[in-house]
Amino acid sequence: MPSTAGNVTYFQSNSRRTFKPWWQRTPSGPYQFLNYSRKEVGLLRILPALTGAPEEPLYAKSRIVSLLKEPHYECISYCWGDPENTEMVIFQGKPGIWLWADAPCIDQNDMNERNRQVQLMARIYTDASSVRAWIEWPGSDQTMAPPSPYDVRIGTAWLLEVSLNFFLYGHAIPPVLDGKQLAMLAIMKVLFSDPFWQRIWITQELILASNIVLYYGALKYKLAGKSKFQQLTENMLSYLRPARLGERDFMACEGAAETSADVLERKSTMLGEILSPLYRFFQAELLSRTDHLRNSLNTRFDGIAKAGRKHDYVYAMLGLVPADARIVPDYSKSLQEVYAENTFAVMRAAKDLVCLLGATTGLPSMPTWAVDYSAASSSRILEPLWGVYSAGKHVEFSLQERPPEAIVVNGVLFDAVVFVSASFDVLEQTLSLDRVTAREFIVSQQRKALAFYRAHSATPLESSEIPRELLRILALDVAATMLPVGASCHRRNRLELQDSSVEQHILPRMFSILATQKLFVTAGGRFGTAEKEIQIGDPICVFGGCPMPLCVRPKVADGSTVYKLISPCYVDGVMDGQAPRIRKEQLARDGRDVSEAVEKIILI
């Protein structure tokens, strides 16, 4: 039972129960009519307990306020609990602090109210004087064991405060923690591994808040500003980058045992686990600009963020995107309708078709051009490269809806697949990847690639060595595929393979990326790579506003040729806008009008 003693302590720090989402009503009911034209919301006040007995109900008072009148209130950000394990709430009583929490302040049984209140979430959290983030204390069976639970809470709070101050503000580490960096990372990992950080709604709740107070056990820690997570993430990343490990006192401890590769790898692994949820919040802080829309709305980030209702993978992020990219929440619509509507809104607002690069693995019965926001796209491994290419730069952007589920775009169909290779194997990347394993993997993958290239190349190969042209194709003509995560992307004209680190790290990474891909050859003799779903006969095209070519599959419907998206692809020699010229040359040879090079293409 959460404690209500005082006017701000709405939970008990050693309680393992979360703030529950389902609330019983008094006969008159706490929910009243809301005037949406006045942006009205419900607030509640937690009232002091009468007896303090564990079985005593929670007492609260509710009121309706208009956000237009700038009321003073605080928000509660928390992880929803078990809907089968609820607390009795009695609405009545005396003054206290006015709070807003989504579960009790929104009638969860009224779909119309939920739809309207979701539209106001950005305003609710932006206008709040403070957001109190309640992160559940794990309880005695999950803590670091003796001494007493009280001492554990106090010690944990102190260690977390020291760690956060160090990573956020560069405060000195107390002498008592000399050589205890692993302990600092371990406690940070415990904090950021909590399910609280995985809830998708938490993202905009914390990003929009100007002031956050974290509550965890005995910890009460304030985060302020609009770049709080960016600052924390970038500071932690600076310790993770391998080039700086030896230069950082935090990573390189005193003593031979402490500076071993094993200790450094353990620290780096912990930092990576802490950064996984933090990086999503860092990305979310960048959402105020339209050119971040595509990245921002791929909200699940490989399973880090979770939503109870899959609609919320879109609705929970609406407060972070520009107004012209926001759709109207409607939980009565199917997932397919919501995801397609949102994808179209993002493309229209961003005035590009970058969404198409992550839209080839959608839900059943969903248009192939729509992004499945509830799952990470298989093409996301190539996401760092999407800003490097400009295959569609000479094709004018155009986007039109064609009900019920099609869109019409400008495109150039310039080639088709005639041969497809076998799949590449997968190599798990680790910091301690040994050279023997890396070398064996490279040799086996080179043989596969070389056999396919030798069979279809117009130039005879006299050597068993992998030719530079094939290596450039496998590397997708960019350095980014071969560099560590976090490195910048740049096109490069030559690949120098003299350094031994290339063999140990770069080539294994390159072939690991290709594990999701296949090599192919087009009718025009161009080599390329695409996802495994590609088939012989699939056309290759470029679209205005899309940086990479796409493999499509034609279908005749109602007398018109329409296309399904299959995969984004790399096609050698067409990544800088050459496709329109290639198509015009084809049309000229056939005696046709070269103005037909750009077509209206229907995607379904």
Side-chain angles (χ1 to χ4, degrees):
M1 177 72 185
S3 169
T4 56
N7 62 353
V8 295
T9 47
Y10 50 85
F11 62 88
Q12 191 171 305
S13 64
N14 63 347
S15 171
R16 295 194 59 215
R17 295 189 178 186
T18 59
F19 205 67
K20 294 300 187 289
W22 302 105
W23 302 77
Q24 299 183 25
R25 308 184 188 194
T26 60
S28 60
Y31 298 107
Q32 304 173 41
F33 173 78
L34 298 176
N35 185 334
Y36 297 112
S37 66
R38 300 184 66 248
K39 299 189 181 331
E40 288 185 342
V41 298
L43 300 178
L44 63 87
R45 277 176 169 168
I46 305 296
L47 304 174
L50 299 179
T51 66
E55 66 276 6
E56 184 180 2
L58 183 68
Y59 290 88
K61 181 179 181 180
S62 65
R63 67 179 288 205
I64 302 299
V65 298
S66 169
L67 295 178
L68 300 178
K69 294 188 175 181
E70 301 181 355
H72 182 83
Y73 63 94
E74 297 180 1
C75 285
I76 304 174
S77 183
Y78 61 100
C79 188
W80 282 31
D82 180 0
E84 303 301 322
N85 183 15
T86 62
E87 307 286 351
M88 172 75 76
V89 178
I90 297 178
F91 285 81
Q92 62 172 41
K94 301 172 291 183
I97 286 183
W98 288 111
L99 302 170
W100 189 92
D102 55 358
C105 292
I106 300 176
D107 187 350
Q108 301 295 326
N109 296 318
D110 186 335
M111 183 175 294
N112 183 57
E113 180 173 324
R114 278 168 41 205
N115 292 339
R116 296 296 189 104
Q117 291 287 287
V118 166
Q119 294 182 59
L120 295 176
M121 293 285 263
R123 179 74 178 268
I124 291 171
Y125 279 90
T126 300
D127 290 358
S129 60
S130 178
V131 172
R132 297 171 177 263
W134 156 240
I135 305 171
E136 183 183 6
W137 179 251
S140 59
D141 59 330
Q142 298 179 28
T143 59
M144 304 81 161
S148 71
Y150 174 79
D151 290 337
V152 169
R153 289 198 305 274
I154 297 299
T156 298
W158 176 80
L159 187 55
L160 274 172
E161 184 176 2
V162 169
S163 302
L164 287 168
N165 284 340
F166 172 76
F167 283 113
L168 266 171
Y169 309 116
H171 290 183
I173 300 175
V176 70
L177 287 179
D178 283 349
K180 300 291 193 301
Q181 292 90 337
L182 278 175
M184 294 174 64
L185 288 173
I187 198 62
M188 291 278 284
K189 177 185 172 183
V190 170
L191 174 64
F192 288 106
S193 297
D194 191 273
F196 171 85
W197 303 98
Q198 300 174 3
R199 182 173 173 249
I200 191 68
W201 279 105
I202 298 295
T203 310
Q204 74 167 3
E205 292 173 6
L206 299 190
I207 298 304
L208 295 174
S210 56
N211 295 293
I212 301 171
V213 182
L214 298 180
Y215 290 88
Y216 181 69
L219 176 71
K220 181 179 178 182
Y221 192 88
K222 185 174 180 179
L223 295 171
K226 293 298 185 181
S227 59
K228 42 196 173 290
F229 292 104
Q230 179 179 352
Q231 182 180 354
L232 180 57
T233 303
E234 289 180 341
N235 289 349
M236 297 192 79
L237 273 173
S238 72
Y239 293 97
L240 183 60
R241 294 190 179 105
R244 304 185 67 178
L245 292 186
E247 304 171 11
R248 290 285 181 168
D249 292 338
F250 184 83
M251 299 299 291
C253 308
E254 295 182 2
E258 290 295 330
T259 55
S260 67
D262 176 65
V263 171
L264 286 177
E265 180 166 351
R266 286 168 62 192
K267 291 178 179 178
S268 297
T269 299
M270 284 189 186
L271 272 171
E273 292 171 341
I274 296 167
L275 283 166
S276 292
L278 278 179
Y279 190 70
R280 180 168 60 85
F281 286 84
F282 168 32
Q283 289 290 91
E285 284 181 334
L286 304 178
L287 301 195
S288 59
R289 298 209 310 271
T290 302
D291 58 359
H292 288 286
L293 279 175
R294 213 277 333 144
N295 291 333
S296 68
L297 292 172
N298 192 355
T299 51
R300 199 174 182 191
F301 281 89
D302 294 327
I304 296 173
K306 297 177 182 178
R309 303 181 186 96
K310 288 191 175 182
H311 294 67
D312 290 339
Y313 285 117
V314 167
Y315 293 159
M317 301 295 283
L318 292 180
L320 299 176
V321 299
D324 59 350
R326 297 176 191 170
I327 62 174
V328 177
D330 186 349
Y331 285 95
S332 67
K333 291 183 176 180
S334 68
L335 276 180
Q336 290 85 344
E337 289 178 292
V338 173
Y339 290 177
E341 181 183 5
N342 193 74
T343 303
F344 184 86
V346 170
M347 293 190 295
R348 180 184 58 200
K351 293 181 173 57
D352 65 39
L353 301 180
V354 179
C355 280
L356 300 182
L357 301 179
T360 56
T361 55
L363 297 167
S365 75
M366 188 167 76
T368 60
W369 54 266
V371 175
D372 178 1
Y373 295 102
S374 68
S377 169
S378 60
S379 63
R380 192 168 176 267
I381 194 170
L382 298 177
E383 186 175 330
L385 312 183
W386 295 352
V388 176
Y389 304 120
S390 53
K393 68 180 180 180
H394 296 311
V395 181
E396 183 181 3
F397 168 77
S398 176
L399 176 65
Q400 302 171 24
E401 284 186 287
R402 180 168 172 169
E405 57 181 20
I407 59 173
V408 182
V409 299
N410 283 345
V412 177
L413 294 160
F414 67 95
D415 218 333
V417 176
V418 292
F419 297 106
V420 179
S421 75
S423 300
F424 290 96
D425 297 327
V426 178
L427 176 68
E428 294 295 330
Q429 289 283 297
T430 64
L431 293 173
S432 58
L433 181 67
D434 64 274
R435 294 189 65 178
V436 174
T437 302
R439 179 62 182 167
E440 291 175 352
F441 175 78
I442 292 167
V443 170
S444 66
Q445 301 311 293
Q446 281 181 346
R447 287 172 179 166
K448 287 185 179 182
L450 188 58
F452 182 80
Y453 187 80
R454 188 186 298 274
H456 303 291
S457 175
T459 304
L461 300 182
E462 300 178 358
S463 171
S464 61
E465 296 295 323
I466 185 168
R468 188 168 298 277
E469 180 186 2
L470 175 56
L471 186 59
R472 181 172 52 79
I473 293 169
L474 294 174
L476 311 186
D477 197 23
V478 292
T481 55
M482 302 179 295
L483 296 175
V485 174
S488 58
C489 301
H490 299 286
R491 298 291 291 272
R492 63 192 285 170
N493 298 321
R494 302 180 62 199
L495 295 172
E496 299 297 338
L497 304 181
Q498 310 305 320
D499 192 331
S500 62
S501 65
V502 172
E503 180 180 288
Q504 187 174 359
H505 297 291
I506 292 180
L507 291 179
R509 177 169 173 75
M510 181 176 73
F511 281 111
S512 294
I513 289 176
L514 289 171
T516 64
Q517 309 278 300
K518 288 183 177 180
L519 279 169
F520 65 81
V521 180
T522 69
R526 300 175 181 87
F527 282 84
T529 65
E531 292 178 11
K532 295 178 179 180
E533 291 77 12
I534 194 170
Q535 296 178 4
I536 293 174
D538 287 341
I540 304 294
C541 63
V542 297
F543 298 128
C546 191
M548 293 184 72
L550 288 117
C551 170
V552 296
R553 195 162 295 159
K555 173 184 176 181
V556 177
D558 298 327
S560 300
T561 300
V562 297
Y563 295 88
K564 291 184 176 182
L565 288 183
I566 303 302
S567 167
C569 51
Y570 169 85
V571 183
D572 198 38
V574 300
M575 304 304 290
D576 287 318
Q578 298 94 330
R581 175 182 56 79
I582 293 170
R583 181 56 180 155
K584 288 177 180 179
E585 292 173 353
Q586 294 170 350
L587 292 171
R589 285 196 300 269
D590 295 339
R592 297 169 58 186
D593 188 351
V594 296
S595 65
E596 298 175 1
V598 179
E599 308 175 43
K600 292 294 183 182
I601 296 178
I602 303 172
L603 300 176
I604 61 172

